mmCIF file of all heavy atoms in Angstrom:
data_model
loop_
_atom_site.group_PDB
_atom_site.id
_atom_site.type_symbol
_atom_site.label_atom_id
_atom_site.label_comp_id
_atom_site.label_asym_id
_atom_site.label_seq_id
_atom_site.Cartn_x
_atom_site.Cartn_y
_atom_site.Cartn_z
ATOM 1 N N GLY A 12 175.773 105.151 96.575
ATOM 2 C CA GLY A 12 174.388 105.359 96.204
ATOM 3 C C GLY A 12 173.544 105.827 97.375
ATOM 4 O O GLY A 12 174.036 106.087 98.477
ATOM 5 N N GLU A 20 158.031 95.479 107.998
ATOM 6 C CA GLU A 20 157.335 94.751 106.952
ATOM 7 C C GLU A 20 155.852 94.927 107.227
ATOM 8 O O GLU A 20 155.372 94.576 108.300
ATOM 9 C CB GLU A 20 157.718 93.275 107.003
ATOM 10 C CG GLU A 20 157.048 92.441 105.936
ATOM 11 C CD GLU A 20 157.495 91.001 105.983
ATOM 12 O OE1 GLU A 20 158.567 90.698 105.436
ATOM 13 O OE2 GLU A 20 156.767 90.191 106.599
ATOM 14 N N CYS A 25 152.065 88.531 98.746
ATOM 15 C CA CYS A 25 151.102 88.819 97.666
ATOM 16 C C CYS A 25 150.350 90.127 97.851
ATOM 17 O O CYS A 25 149.127 90.115 97.853
ATOM 18 C CB CYS A 25 150.146 87.656 97.514
ATOM 19 S SG CYS A 25 150.974 86.110 97.145
ATOM 20 N N ILE A 28 155.488 93.942 101.303
ATOM 21 C CA ILE A 28 155.733 95.385 101.378
ATOM 22 C C ILE A 28 156.619 95.662 102.584
ATOM 23 O O ILE A 28 156.345 95.205 103.688
ATOM 24 C CB ILE A 28 154.421 96.184 101.495
ATOM 25 C CG1 ILE A 28 153.553 95.970 100.249
ATOM 26 C CG2 ILE A 28 154.720 97.672 101.677
ATOM 27 C CD1 ILE A 28 152.191 96.623 100.308
ATOM 28 N N GLU A 30 158.525 99.003 104.518
ATOM 29 C CA GLU A 30 158.519 100.466 104.607
ATOM 30 C C GLU A 30 159.773 100.959 105.303
ATOM 31 O O GLU A 30 160.393 100.243 106.092
ATOM 32 C CB GLU A 30 157.295 100.945 105.376
ATOM 33 C CG GLU A 30 156.004 100.677 104.663
ATOM 34 C CD GLU A 30 154.801 101.186 105.426
ATOM 35 O OE1 GLU A 30 154.957 101.823 106.486
ATOM 36 O OE2 GLU A 30 153.681 100.956 104.958
ATOM 37 N N ASP A 34 167.334 108.086 101.872
ATOM 38 C CA ASP A 34 167.913 109.425 102.034
ATOM 39 C C ASP A 34 166.981 110.311 102.864
ATOM 40 O O ASP A 34 166.726 111.468 102.522
ATOM 41 C CB ASP A 34 168.233 110.058 100.680
ATOM 42 C CG ASP A 34 169.266 109.251 99.907
ATOM 43 O OD1 ASP A 34 170.081 108.548 100.543
ATOM 44 O OD2 ASP A 34 169.265 109.308 98.669
ATOM 45 N N TYR A 42 156.881 93.873 96.413
ATOM 46 C CA TYR A 42 157.160 92.754 95.520
ATOM 47 C C TYR A 42 155.858 92.046 95.202
ATOM 48 O O TYR A 42 155.181 91.522 96.087
ATOM 49 C CB TYR A 42 158.136 91.767 96.157
ATOM 50 C CG TYR A 42 158.478 90.608 95.257
ATOM 51 C CD1 TYR A 42 159.278 90.805 94.137
ATOM 52 C CD2 TYR A 42 157.984 89.340 95.496
ATOM 53 C CE1 TYR A 42 159.586 89.760 93.278
ATOM 54 C CE2 TYR A 42 158.290 88.279 94.652
ATOM 55 C CZ TYR A 42 159.093 88.496 93.552
ATOM 56 O OH TYR A 42 159.400 87.455 92.708
ATOM 57 N N ARG A 43 155.465 92.083 93.948
ATOM 58 C CA ARG A 43 154.263 91.396 93.482
ATOM 59 C C ARG A 43 154.405 91.139 91.993
ATOM 60 O O ARG A 43 155.015 91.926 91.279
ATOM 61 C CB ARG A 43 153.025 92.242 93.746
ATOM 62 C CG ARG A 43 151.754 91.461 93.453
ATOM 63 C CD ARG A 43 150.558 92.133 94.028
ATOM 64 N NE ARG A 43 149.441 91.195 94.012
ATOM 65 C CZ ARG A 43 148.230 91.511 94.353
ATOM 66 N NH1 ARG A 43 147.963 92.734 94.783
ATOM 67 N NH2 ARG A 43 147.268 90.629 94.310
ATOM 68 N N SER A 48 159.539 96.746 93.290
ATOM 69 C CA SER A 48 159.365 98.172 92.996
ATOM 70 C C SER A 48 159.826 99.007 94.177
ATOM 71 O O SER A 48 159.552 98.671 95.327
ATOM 72 C CB SER A 48 157.890 98.502 92.740
ATOM 73 O OG SER A 48 157.406 97.782 91.653
ATOM 74 N N ASN A 50 159.307 102.708 95.766
ATOM 75 C CA ASN A 50 158.362 103.824 95.711
ATOM 76 C C ASN A 50 158.797 104.897 96.702
ATOM 77 O O ASN A 50 158.971 104.606 97.883
ATOM 78 C CB ASN A 50 156.960 103.336 96.067
ATOM 79 C CG ASN A 50 156.498 102.251 95.117
ATOM 80 O OD1 ASN A 50 155.908 102.540 94.105
ATOM 81 N ND2 ASN A 50 156.803 100.993 95.442
ATOM 82 N N ILE A 51 158.983 106.111 96.228
ATOM 83 C CA ILE A 51 159.375 107.226 97.081
ATOM 84 C C ILE A 51 158.238 108.242 97.057
ATOM 85 O O ILE A 51 157.798 108.666 95.983
ATOM 86 C CB ILE A 51 160.682 107.878 96.588
ATOM 87 C CG1 ILE A 51 161.801 106.833 96.557
ATOM 88 C CG2 ILE A 51 161.063 109.052 97.487
ATOM 89 C CD1 ILE A 51 163.077 107.315 95.910
ATOM 90 N N HIS A 58 161.520 99.695 88.904
ATOM 91 C CA HIS A 58 160.900 98.380 88.805
ATOM 92 C C HIS A 58 161.959 97.410 88.292
ATOM 93 O O HIS A 58 162.692 97.743 87.367
ATOM 94 C CB HIS A 58 159.742 98.362 87.800
ATOM 95 C CG HIS A 58 158.616 99.261 88.142
ATOM 96 N ND1 HIS A 58 157.714 98.968 89.132
ATOM 97 C CD2 HIS A 58 158.238 100.447 87.624
ATOM 98 C CE1 HIS A 58 156.820 99.944 89.196
ATOM 99 N NE2 HIS A 58 157.129 100.855 88.302
ATOM 100 N N GLU A 59 161.974 96.218 88.882
ATOM 101 C CA GLU A 59 162.896 95.193 88.398
ATOM 102 C C GLU A 59 162.202 93.838 88.488
ATOM 103 O O GLU A 59 161.750 93.438 89.559
ATOM 104 C CB GLU A 59 164.170 95.175 89.239
ATOM 105 C CG GLU A 59 165.143 94.115 88.799
ATOM 106 C CD GLU A 59 166.348 93.987 89.694
ATOM 107 O OE1 GLU A 59 166.328 94.505 90.819
ATOM 108 O OE2 GLU A 59 167.315 93.340 89.260
ATOM 109 N N ASP A 63 159.056 85.034 88.687
ATOM 110 C CA ASP A 63 157.990 84.646 87.778
ATOM 111 C C ASP A 63 156.816 85.608 87.900
ATOM 112 O O ASP A 63 156.596 86.186 88.961
ATOM 113 C CB ASP A 63 157.553 83.217 88.139
ATOM 114 C CG ASP A 63 156.518 82.688 87.186
ATOM 115 O OD1 ASP A 63 156.886 82.205 86.111
ATOM 116 O OD2 ASP A 63 155.324 82.779 87.541
ATOM 117 N N ASP A 66 154.775 85.307 91.064
ATOM 118 C CA ASP A 66 155.421 85.401 92.378
ATOM 119 C C ASP A 66 154.909 86.589 93.173
ATOM 120 O O ASP A 66 154.751 87.684 92.638
ATOM 121 C CB ASP A 66 156.939 85.536 92.234
ATOM 122 C CG ASP A 66 157.615 84.234 91.843
ATOM 123 O OD1 ASP A 66 156.959 83.180 91.935
ATOM 124 O OD2 ASP A 66 158.795 84.277 91.472
ATOM 125 N N ALA A 74 165.354 90.704 98.603
ATOM 126 C CA ALA A 74 165.063 92.080 98.193
ATOM 127 C C ALA A 74 166.269 92.973 98.451
ATOM 128 O O ALA A 74 166.640 93.793 97.607
ATOM 129 C CB ALA A 74 163.837 92.602 98.931
ATOM 130 N N SER A 77 168.991 92.380 95.880
ATOM 131 C CA SER A 77 168.630 92.982 94.601
ATOM 132 C C SER A 77 168.884 94.490 94.622
ATOM 133 O O SER A 77 169.443 95.056 93.679
ATOM 134 C CB SER A 77 167.167 92.699 94.273
ATOM 135 O OG SER A 77 166.815 93.320 93.065
ATOM 136 N N LEU A 78 168.483 95.146 95.711
ATOM 137 C CA LEU A 78 168.694 96.593 95.827
ATOM 138 C C LEU A 78 170.177 96.939 95.885
ATOM 139 O O LEU A 78 170.627 97.900 95.268
ATOM 140 C CB LEU A 78 167.965 97.132 97.046
ATOM 141 C CG LEU A 78 166.434 97.076 96.950
ATOM 142 C CD1 LEU A 78 165.810 97.251 98.320
ATOM 143 C CD2 LEU A 78 165.925 98.117 95.974
ATOM 144 N N GLY A 82 173.052 99.311 93.379
ATOM 145 C CA GLY A 82 173.864 100.421 93.857
ATOM 146 C C GLY A 82 173.374 101.092 95.126
ATOM 147 O O GLY A 82 173.963 102.087 95.559
ATOM 148 N N TYR A 83 172.321 100.578 95.736
ATOM 149 C CA TYR A 83 171.817 101.158 96.980
ATOM 150 C C TYR A 83 172.561 100.579 98.175
ATOM 151 O O TYR A 83 172.950 99.413 98.163
ATOM 152 C CB TYR A 83 170.318 100.875 97.151
ATOM 153 C CG TYR A 83 169.458 101.533 96.117
ATOM 154 C CD1 TYR A 83 168.982 100.816 95.026
ATOM 155 C CD2 TYR A 83 169.119 102.875 96.219
ATOM 156 C CE1 TYR A 83 168.190 101.418 94.062
ATOM 157 C CE2 TYR A 83 168.326 103.484 95.260
ATOM 158 C CZ TYR A 83 167.863 102.751 94.186
ATOM 159 O OH TYR A 83 167.085 103.348 93.236
ATOM 160 N N GLU A 84 172.733 101.384 99.199
ATOM 161 C CA GLU A 84 173.183 100.887 100.490
ATOM 162 C C GLU A 84 171.916 100.600 101.283
ATOM 163 O O GLU A 84 171.011 101.433 101.332
ATOM 164 C CB GLU A 84 174.025 101.930 101.218
ATOM 165 C CG GLU A 84 174.510 101.456 102.560
ATOM 166 C CD GLU A 84 175.314 102.508 103.308
ATOM 167 O OE1 GLU A 84 175.762 103.489 102.689
ATOM 168 O OE2 GLU A 84 175.454 102.343 104.532
ATOM 169 N N THR A 92 160.535 88.183 114.156
ATOM 170 C CA THR A 92 159.749 87.640 115.268
ATOM 171 C C THR A 92 159.759 86.137 115.239
ATOM 172 O O THR A 92 160.089 85.506 114.303
ATOM 173 C CB THR A 92 158.291 88.124 115.176
ATOM 174 O OG1 THR A 92 157.762 87.799 113.907
ATOM 175 C CG2 THR A 92 158.210 89.602 115.428
#
Side-chain angles (χ1 to χ4, degrees):
E20 181 178 278
C25 301
I28 298 175
E30 293 181 4
D34 298 333
Y42 181 71
R43 188 165 194 185
S48 300
N50 301 270
I51 302 172
H58 298 285
E59 179 186 15
D63 184 82
D66 285 346
S77 178
L78 293 164
Y83 295 100
E84 180 182 344
T92 55

